[in-house]
Amino acid sequence: MDSDGGREQRYFFRYLIRAVALFTLVTLACLVLFNQTAATRSQFQFLTSSFSFSSHAGNEELLGLEELLKKAAMPDNTVILSPLNEAWIEKGSIFDLFLESFRIGNQTIGLLKHLLVVALDQKAFDHCLGLHLNCYFLKTQGVDFSAEAGYMSTDYLKMVWRKIDFLRTILETGYSFVFTDADIMWLRNPFPQFYPDTNFQVSCDKFRGNPFDLNNAPNTGLMYVKSSNQTIEFFKFWYKSREIYSAKHDQDALNMLKHDPFLREIGFQFKFLDTAYFGGFCQPSKNLNLVHTMHANCCAGLDNKIHDLKILLQDWSSYTSLPENERDSHPPSWTVPQSCG
Ligand SMILES: *[C@@H]1O[C@H](CO)[C@@H](O)[C@H](O)[C@H]1NC(C)=O
Ligand SMILES: *[C@@H]1O[C@H](CO)[C@@H](O)[C@H](O)[C@H]1NC(C)=O
């Protein structure tokens, strides 16, 4: 009992830190971009250009990555990236449910060959290889993520930032990506539903109805980023923002972004995904005829997540086994969240 409770608590803290870190990233990135409004153009250019020299990846590492990207990519050079760490690989855990969703989703199984799992520790990497998936081991210099303590400390944040830097590398290599957390169930192929006219779209905890409204609360659980000069600049900038971290930040900064000349200058624009199609426990998509992905967000505790995601997949299976006319005319709704939220 004791050790179970301790483990669950650790998982919860990991998740919490992760969620807070990701949230902070977006907010900070926005804040930094906003602050730059007051700066001169040349300062901005200095900031971003000084970055070209900061790649962590050695040549050998980069070659291995390029090979994997080539293997996993769709014809239009897009890969699906999912991070994986030790906590999510246990039997019946999040990652099993994630893979299961591709199997029972509608026309999603074929997407698995385009999935590149980004393992953050050795155990996750070995597990991934054992499943015959495309696996990349994202190492972070001087950080041992197999050590339990790693997740609680600044080491964990290092890894989070490493990920942003890594995503920039992917874009620079010429590949576009859909980044997905493994607690997002893929129930329909999202590509036909993505906005065709933007190079940065992100899922939300709460969607307010307008895809450009910066009051939407992005969660970065699902990000579709097309390789372009704008997105590369944005990810450099995002990464750079870790140096200007200040304890005080305000989500309102996000709202100011739409007026930020620097975003316009580099031609960068946020576009927010509708929770009716890309839902989650924060704001469940009610119509199962529309839903493409479902995220176990707004959920504290790994066991609660697993509990509700299992039911979610059962809900989906019941729905898909209904006769088509009944599905279309009277689609049932989710019976979750239960333990979550
Ligand atoms: C970036 O801009 C340059 C020059 O405008 C162009 O040649 C190149 O294709 C662009 N790269 C991407 C990834 O869009
Ligand atoms: C699955 O996709 C096919 C082809 O688009 C469609 O005919 C069918 O109704 C879909 N099933 C569900 C459950 O959405």
Side-chain angles (χ1 to χ4, degrees), residues 199-214:
N199 53 24
F200 186 92
Q201 46 199 306
V202 61
S203 60
C204 295
D205 281 349
K206 293 242 157 66
F207 182 74
R208 297 160 57 95
N210 173 356
F212 294 107
D213 183 355
L214 291 159

Side-chain angles (χ1 to χ4, degrees), residues 160-300:
V160 169
W161 285 110
R162 177 81 177 88
K163 194 174 74 188
I164 298 298
D165 197 35
F166 172 72
L167 294 178
R168 190 260 313 152
T169 306
I170 303 268
L171 296 172
E172 280 186 346
T173 314
Y175 288 87
S176 303
F177 61 80
V178 175
F179 177 90
T180 174
D181 277 332
D183 61 347
I184 292 180
M185 302 295 110
W186 285 52
L187 303 171
R188 287 190 171 94
N189 179 0
F191 285 94
Q193 192 58 46
F194 282 135
Y195 302 118
D197 56 351
T198 181
N199 53 24
F200 186 92
Q201 46 199 306
V202 61
S203 60
C204 295
D205 281 349
K206 293 242 157 66
F207 182 74
R208 297 160 57 95
N210 173 356
F212 294 107
D213 183 355
L214 291 159
N215 290 313
N216 291 314
N219 60 33
T220 71
L222 193 77
M223 276 189 285
Y224 181 18
V225 187
K226 290 184 192 158
S227 177
S228 71
N229 290 332
Q230 292 80 25
T231 51
I232 291 167
E233 288 310 302
F234 177 72
F235 271 81
K236 283 179 186 172
F237 206 52
W238 192 348
Y239 184 63
K240 183 76 181 169
S241 72
R242 86 201 182 286
E243 288 173 13
I244 319 166
Y245 183 94
S246 89
K248 272 233 178 293
H249 53 82
D250 191 340
Q251 210 192 337
D252 287 349
L254 206 76
N255 198 33
M256 308 302 283
L257 259 178
K258 58 188 162 191
H259 306 299
D260 190 318
F262 288 106
L263 276 186
R264 274 205 296 278
E265 214 169 274
I266 65 169
F268 183 85
Q269 191 173 42
F270 281 91
K271 208 161 175 185
F272 301 95
L273 291 163
D274 190 337
T275 48
Y277 303 97
F278 301 96
F281 293 151
C282 296
Q283 193 176 54
S285 38
K286 297 203 174 54
N287 187 345
L288 268 70
N289 288 331
L290 301 183
V291 68
H292 284 63
T293 61
M294 272 292 280
H295 188 184
N297 52 8
C298 288
C299 187

